[in-house]
Amino acid sequence: MTKTKFYITTPIYYVNGAPHLGHAYTSTASDVLARWHRLQGDDVFFLTGTDEHGQKVEAAALAAGIAPQAFADRVSADFEDMAKTMNISNDDFIRTTSAHHKQACQTIWKKLEENGFIYLGAYEGWYAVRDEAFYDEAETALKPDGTRYALSSGAAVEWVVEPSYFFKLSAFQDKLLAFYEENPGFIAPTAKRNEILSFVRGGLNDLSISRTSFSWGVPVPGDEKHVMYVWLDALVNYLTAAGYPDDTAERWSYWPASLHLVGKEIVRFHAVYWPAFLMGAGLALPKKVFSHGWWTVEGEKMSKSLGNFIDVRPLVQEFGLDQIRYFILREVPFGNDGDFSREALKRRINSDLANGIGNLAQRTLSFIGKNAGAAVPPKGALQEADEGLLATTHALPEKIRAAMEKLAFHEALDEAWRVIRAADGYIDTQAPWSLRKTDTDRMNTVLNTLCEVLRTLGVVLQPFMPETMSKLLDYLGLSKDRSLSVLNTPLIEGTPLPPPAGLFPRVVEAA
Ligand code: MSP
């Protein structure tokens, strides 16, 4: 049987500044999905990388007094380091300054030109370097000090007048609307879909796709005074990594992408411009663009002026990797905005991880170590309480699958925690410590049931907390096949179990 292909991407990150919580968030969410699909047995290609061209990066390099390429090399390496720290399981890391990417950009440009969708003109209008975006005047407003800014992002805009190539975006309005209609799941969540639909229904202007006032970009083929607009360059990364323009490349079988996961401010680029470019070049369109929300930090927007950018790496040092991964996916319904605070983080670690799954595992496994021969206990006749808990447990993988399908990470975790609470209640009522004196067969059945609960939790939670769940599965004596399908085979009674250690230490408040 051929495996289902699943090609998932993060946005590629601008290298004008250091990686922060927002980037770690998009990457971690994508990583959880990639790992989930691998667990399901899909053939996954997971891409992340860095967006290295454009005016913003050029300006940052200039400010740092370093040549743009050397600057991009340094910051891109820092993004790779962040991915490593967060245990991101990407299959490739693309850099837009690579030779292959440049070739991919120039090829698609020529294709669009050949197909009659590019013409030379002059751009006159507003541009926000911070957003690398063109804005209509109606999308901007004046500040009291007379400077103009983009309403959607707050970024300063400047008036730009320069020769420019244009992409005939206006020719794609009806085609895009028909595509959204036929593919209602293309943009999610629904509120975002509605916003994009009304933007496209409002009419599309042709899009300026080259710049001449700086040179840090991919040269336009045949007219090298121009560099390509950084968003055209950037979006093409998803094709480059799949082998484009070589459609015989093995990677090409992953195209079209299954999912572009993006923050809410860049949906327009992914859900309007990108499908239009692809239609113009005669290429297949991605299946889905999912928009997630933004984090504030202790109630404030992360910003340079406030100096409150959170680097996740020291947090990982302080609280533990899986603790941070868990927190960012549990705290906020995916798609909504959320606030990051140390208090909320500590609360979640203590209540959900240390007192929740950590305590359940420790209670069960250390009891087995001391009182049940440090091996998977044998199962006797099941009673109603066992059957009830096992039914809840065995329903969990499907519930998680359904939640993951709609990227409802918080719901997936919530389902798992329902099982944890049920198991806690079960231990209290079954009281294995009393059974030890009165009925060891029954005690073993209760412990076997708990091992089955822990095994199921350990397997399905691997995508969220890979390191810790791998430890838990080690403590349960599981062999190396830890995909969802192992849950179809019974636990092997008598498997010796190593001495367990605590999974999640409690965070102790500084006095
Ligand atoms: N380079 C473009 C993407 C090109 S993709 C073809 C870009 N880069 S970015 O570095 O500015 O942002 C990348 C991602 O980080 C976006 O998905 C964005 O939403 C996310 N975040 C940046 N700040 C964020 C928060 N404060 N909170 C959550 N995510 C945020 O855009």
Side-chain angles (χ1 to χ4, degrees):
M1 213 183 66
T2 56
K3 288 180 166 188
T4 307
K5 301 245 174 205
F6 186 73
Y7 178 13
I8 176 171
T9 68
T10 76
I12 48 170
Y13 305 112
Y14 284 128
V15 292
N16 64 304
H20 60 65
L21 173 66
H23 310 119
Y25 186 48
T26 316
S27 286
T28 306
S30 307
D31 183 58
V32 170
L33 281 170
R35 288 176 185 269
W36 174 260
H37 279 267
R38 291 191 197 109
L39 205 64
Q40 269 189 179
D42 295 346
D43 177 5
V44 173
F45 177 42
F46 172 23
L47 178 69
T48 188
T50 42
D51 188 353
E52 305 186 8
H53 288 133
Q55 205 173 349
K56 170 154 98 167
V57 171
E58 191 186 69
L62 204 69
I66 303 174
Q69 187 62 63
F71 183 77
D73 290 346
R74 190 170 80 186
V75 184
S76 177
D78 205 28
F79 272 95
E80 278 202 78
D81 179 71
M82 189 267 293
K84 210 174 199 174
T85 304
M86 292 304 290
N87 200 2
I88 305 301
S89 61
N90 52 298
D91 299 296
D92 198 356
F93 187 97
I94 188 157
R95 299 190 53 192
T96 54
T97 50
S98 69
H100 175 199
H101 178 68
K102 185 172 149 187
Q103 185 210 356
C105 288
Q106 294 185 328
T107 307
I108 200 167
W109 181 285
K110 284 188 241 160
K111 196 85 205 150
L112 292 171
E113 202 165 42
E114 233 171 78
N115 293 349
F117 295 118
I118 292 184
Y119 63 91
L120 183 62
Y123 181 76
E124 187 164 350
W126 298 106
Y127 191 78
V129 176
R130 200 179 85 196
D131 302 341
E132 296 284 20
F134 301 95
Y135 288 107
D136 286 344
E137 185 142 316
E139 295 175 298
T140 70
L142 278 174
K143 282 192 180 160
D145 68 1
T147 56
R148 197 171 273 280
Y149 68 100
L151 285 164
S152 58
S153 67
V157 294
E158 61 190 28
W159 188 252
V160 167
V161 184
E162 58 188 55
S164 174
Y165 285 94
F166 284 82
F167 172 70
K168 278 191 194 162
L169 185 62
S170 56
F172 290 88
Q173 182 180 7
D174 293 343
K175 289 188 195 113
L176 284 168
L177 290 172
F179 174 72
Y180 303 146
E181 184 82 13
E182 281 157 28
N183 300 277
F186 177 64
I187 308 165
T190 314
K192 206 62 196 178
R193 171 181 155 82
N194 293 338
E195 188 188 311
I196 294 291
L197 282 182
S198 78
F199 171 73
V200 176
R201 283 193 190 117
L204 295 174
N205 297 327
D206 289 348
L207 181 70
S208 165
I209 50 164
S210 76
R211 305 286 314 270
T212 46
S213 53
F214 63 92
S215 58
W216 184 236
V218 178
V220 166
D223 193 353
E224 308 228 328
K225 292 188 298 304
H226 292 251
V227 291
M228 289 185 201
Y229 173 39
V230 65
W231 267 102
L232 171 56
D233 164 348
L235 288 160
V236 170
N237 92 85
Y238 304 132
L239 290 174
T240 310
Y244 184 82
D246 177 6
D247 60 9
T248 64
E250 206 186 317
R251 286 269 181 84
W252 189 244
S253 62
Y254 289 102
W255 190 259
S258 316
L259 176 65
H260 295 311
L261 200 64
V262 300
K264 61 180 181 179
E265 83 289 8
I266 56 173
V267 178
R268 189 189 288 185
F269 301 94
H270 284 83
V272 182
Y273 302 164
W274 183 223
F277 293 150
L278 290 165
M279 285 175 181
L283 293 164
L285 270 48
K287 301 282 181 229
K288 197 181 191 75
V289 175
F290 194 101
S291 155
H292 69 68
W294 270 49
W295 286 97
T296 49
V297 171
E298 313 278 350
E300 306 265 12
K301 197 177 163 192
M302 272 193 279
S303 78
K304 254 198 192 133
S305 48
L306 289 170
N308 63 346
F309 278 109
I310 293 235
D311 182 348
V312 285
R313 290 168 288 189
L315 284 176
V316 166
Q317 283 283 327
E318 185 177 354
F319 294 101
L321 168 62
D322 286 344
Q323 285 85 335
I324 304 295
R325 289 175 60 106
Y326 173 80
F327 176 78
I328 57 182
L329 292 171
R330 176 64 188 85
E331 186 67 4
V332 181
F334 201 64
N336 294 5
D337 292 337
D339 185 52
F340 183 94
S341 76
R342 290 176 63 91
E343 274 323 298
L345 172 62
K346 289 181 198 166
R347 220 177 305 127
R348 285 256 173 230
I349 293 177
N350 285 340
S351 71
D352 300 6
L353 298 177
N355 296 346
I357 189 166
N359 188 43
L360 175 66
Q362 190 60 18
R363 271 171 111 179
T364 306
L365 293 166
S366 64
F367 189 89
I368 294 175
K370 288 195 199 104
N371 305 301
V376 174
K379 178 167 75 172
L382 294 182
Q383 297 186 0
E384 209 180 310
D386 316 325
E387 277 165 353
L389 180 60
L390 288 172
T392 310
T393 303
H394 291 147
L396 181 62
E398 173 51 29
K399 288 200 166 132
I400 296 207
R401 195 202 56 75
M404 297 298 256
E405 191 94 330
K406 45 183 186 151
L407 282 81
F409 301 107
H410 62 293
E411 259 177 58
L413 291 168
D414 205 42
E415 292 293 349
W417 260 255
R418 263 177 229 275
V419 173
I420 293 170
R421 283 191 298 273
D424 277 337
Y426 172 87
I427 303 193
D428 294 342
T429 54
Q430 301 305 312
W433 46 89
S434 306
L435 293 170
R436 184 168 67 91
K437 293 170 224 143
T438 57
D439 187 348
T440 49
D441 284 352
R442 178 67 199 143
M443 174 191 82
N444 284 332
T445 303
V446 167
L447 295 173
N448 180 289
T449 303
L450 288 165
C451 283
E452 176 63 1
V453 172
L454 288 173
R455 176 175 79 147
T456 307
L457 288 166
V459 168
V460 300
L461 292 175
Q462 289 175 103
F464 293 90
M465 302 183 281
E467 276 185 352
T468 320
M469 291 306 107
S470 148
K471 269 192 219 155
L472 172 59
L473 296 176
D474 289 345
Y475 297 150
L476 287 162
L478 229 69
S479 68
K480 285 297 161 204
D481 175 14
R482 291 167 175 195
S483 63
L484 282 180
S485 54
V486 300
L487 296 176
N488 302 327
T489 61
L491 277 169
I492 304 170
E493 294 173 10
T495 308
L497 302 184
L503 296 177
F504 296 105
R506 278 185 68 82
V507 180
V508 189
E509 295 298 323

